[in-house]
Amino acid sequence: MYLTKEEEQILNGEAGETLRQAIEILVALGDIYGADGLIPIKSAQIAGVSYKTIGDAGLEWISDLKGQVKVPAILNPAGMDLEDWERLRISPEFAEKQKAIVQAYKKLGIRCECTCTPYTLEGFSVGYGDHLAWSESSAISYANSVIGARTNREGGPSALSAALLGKTANYGFHLEENRVPEVSIRVECSLKESDYGALGYVAGKIIGSEVPIFRLKDTPEKDELKALGAAMAASGAVALYHVEGVTPEACRLGFEEPEEKIIIERSQLDEVYESRKEAGKAPELITIGCPHCSAAELKKAAELLKGKTVSKETWIFTSRELAKRYPEYIRTIEESGAKVVCDTCMVVSPATNSYSCVMVNSGKAFAYVPGMCGAESVYGNMEACIEEATGGKENKAGGSY
Ligand code: F3S
């Protein structure tokens, strides 16, 4: 891998131990994956923030680092709401460690907005063709697929290293030839809302880490694409997908039809809505906002909850910035007894671990809650989740419990 003179000096430790470690990580990755050199990045998004996932070893590593990031950098969700952690009954010991992790990142010049939807924030713009070092799988998928930016699936340490250097190794999805669809997925039914999360869950299991191009009957909204990508990145390891006539590279580059072809039918999506219900457990906790709710999703949740009262614990996750921007939605949601929670989510917070069955409207949360939180997950659309939260039993979308 070619390094400039300045990069060689950093690797020799002439710019300090933190940058030496950072470039060593990037060079090691570049050598493994055949990178020709380092390229500048526009921004970094750093996972490895929740104390639940990184523990004391992670806290210690981050605290030892010195210096300042060279590009705008932002954090992934932490293990708790940083301003109101007692609300979900987080222990003071956990809160203390979590605050220390966020402080350690802050010292490095990282913006301490903890969200998996950084592309919705002011001052964090991402454009077509931008090179990034992002590390939360749904954000990676959205940046690559819906925006047409270019990022690999970075780990927390490599994204942080890239932020400190302002560069990343040039391999994988930074190169045009690796962004071409490898499998065509034709969906034989019409889709709406949570159907996209179910589709992502089914497709990810089948294709693993391949790059798919979808042929759909409908034109999905941005939030539906967000749900599709998040689920595929969780049940599989998909970092980039295309949708014919919708996503920017599919529209601009006009890909040839891949040889490998898959058809997905309605019955496969219905299985996601129905699965795990045989166990007969009733959800004790309802969660919405994986990935973090957009303004449109907050609005919809507020409309559905207006004038109602929840009878089950209900958490709606979003970024702090969006919660501040839309106080009227937050007020309406919270008047129902549901909680709007920022900086964290149902998967990375330890708060979810004390429930045995969680209802979700996200294919990603559906995939991760059992393994990460030790609870059953059941799937439904947002209407079904709110119906469940407010005591209703009827649901026409197949998502009720
Ligand atoms: Fe975001 Fe947590 Fe889901 S990080 S994508 S809300 S698992």
Side-chain angles (χ1 to χ4, degrees):
M1 182 168 152
Y2 170 78
L3 294 183
T4 64
K5 194 156 181 265
E6 190 196 351
E7 289 161 358
E8 289 279 6
Q9 287 167 342
I10 295 172
L11 191 59
N12 291 335
E14 292 172 37
E17 178 55 18
T18 294
L19 287 187
R20 191 200 64 72
Q21 275 184 29
I23 202 163
E24 191 175 68
I25 289 171
L26 298 189
V27 168
L29 284 169
D31 283 342
I32 291 168
Y33 293 107
D36 55 1
L38 298 174
I39 48 166
I41 53 163
K42 188 162 178 209
S43 65
Q45 189 251 1
I46 298 157
V49 182
S50 172
Y51 180 63
K52 172 176 163 177
T53 54
I54 69 168
D56 287 320
L59 169 57
E60 204 174 306
W61 182 68
I62 302 155
S63 305
D64 284 346
L65 300 174
K66 295 184 175 61
Q68 290 287 297
V69 293
K70 297 221 169 45
V71 292
I74 201 159
L75 294 178
N76 206 40
M80 63 184 200
D81 188 308
L82 296 171
E83 290 185 7
D84 194 0
W85 51 270
E86 282 165 315
R87 207 168 179 212
L88 297 194
R89 299 202 294 272
I90 298 291
S91 72
E93 296 76 31
F94 184 97
E96 196 186 316
K97 298 280 190 181
Q98 186 61 73
K99 284 183 201 163
I101 291 170
V102 171
Q103 267 311 109
Y105 278 124
K106 197 172 183 181
K107 244 178 48 202
L108 299 171
I110 295 163
R111 179 171 161 186
C112 291
E113 176 88 46
C114 300
T115 181
C116 49
T117 56
Y119 42 84
T120 62
L121 304 183
E122 302 262 338
F124 206 78
S125 69
V126 189
Y128 186 87
D130 286 347
H131 292 278
L132 315 171
W134 286 17
S135 56
E136 194 286 314
S137 65
S138 78
I140 291 164
S141 174
Y142 193 94
N144 274 329
S145 315
V146 184
I147 301 173
R150 297 179 173 206
T151 177
N152 285 319
R153 278 171 70 109
E154 302 284 356
S158 66
L160 178 54
S161 301
L164 289 162
L165 288 160
K167 294 177 182 179
T168 193
N170 191 27
Y171 67 91
F173 293 116
H174 294 287
L175 304 173
E176 190 138 339
E177 64 262 32
N178 297 324
R179 302 178 64 86
V180 175
E182 299 164 290
V183 51
S184 159
I185 302 180
R186 183 169 296 282
V187 181
E188 297 274 280
C189 57
S190 272
L191 302 169
K192 62 176 182 151
E193 300 173 347
S194 58
D195 290 341
Y196 286 90
L199 171 62
Y201 181 81
V202 171
K205 275 187 176 279
I206 299 170
I207 64 173
S209 60
E210 286 185 296
V211 177
I213 181 159
F214 285 91
R215 320 279 183 202
L216 302 177
K217 286 183 183 295
D218 319 272
T219 303
E221 303 284 336
K222 291 269 168 68
D223 283 331
E224 292 169 331
L225 292 170
K226 176 179 80 167
L228 171 67
M232 266 192 299
S235 66
V238 177
L240 164 66
Y241 66 91
H242 306 285
V243 181
E244 185 184 34
V246 175
T247 53
E249 280 168 294
C251 293
R252 291 190 198 197
L253 305 178
F255 299 115
E256 282 176 21
E257 178 74 355
E259 269 181 34
E260 189 183 348
K261 295 181 187 13
I262 290 169
I263 292 175
I264 292 182
E265 295 172 351
R266 180 81 234 173
S267 59
Q268 290 167 277
L269 309 187
D270 288 344
E271 277 174 27
V272 178
Y273 289 101
E274 293 307 319
S275 64
R276 302 186 194 153
K277 289 182 184 169
E278 308 87 59
K281 277 191 189 164
E284 301 158 335
L285 170 67
I286 317 300
T287 65
I288 290 168
C290 169
H292 278 174
C293 281
S294 65
E297 290 167 324
L298 286 175
K299 180 169 187 270
K300 185 169 177 187
E303 284 167 359
L304 289 167
L305 282 165
K306 194 173 169 88
K308 296 186 182 153
T309 304
V310 299
S311 54
K312 292 190 175 189
E313 192 69 9
T314 304
W315 301 340
I316 299 184
F317 296 93
T318 189
S319 66
R320 186 160 298 284
E321 184 176 307
L322 285 195
K324 284 199 176 129
R325 221 187 285 165
Y326 298 99
E328 66 281 16
Y329 301 153
I330 308 308
R331 202 169 35 249
T332 305
I333 291 169
E334 298 217 321
E335 276 169 4
S336 74
K339 298 178 174 114
V340 176
V341 187
C342 302
D343 314 316
T344 185
C345 77
M346 70 292 274
V347 171
V348 297
S349 170
T352 311
N353 296 31
S354 47
Y355 295 87
S356 66
C357 185
V358 182
M359 187 165 186
V360 301
N361 69 335
S362 152
K364 177 169 178 177
F366 180 70
Y368 277 178
V369 160
M372 294 277 291
C373 310
E376 287 287 358
S377 57
V378 291
Y379 192 70
N381 61 20
M382 196 192 287
E383 282 87 347
C385 286
I386 301 291
E387 190 80 8
E388 184 67 36
T390 53
K393 292 289 169 208
E394 200 192 359
N395 167 31
K396 298 163 198 76
S400 73
Y401 184 81

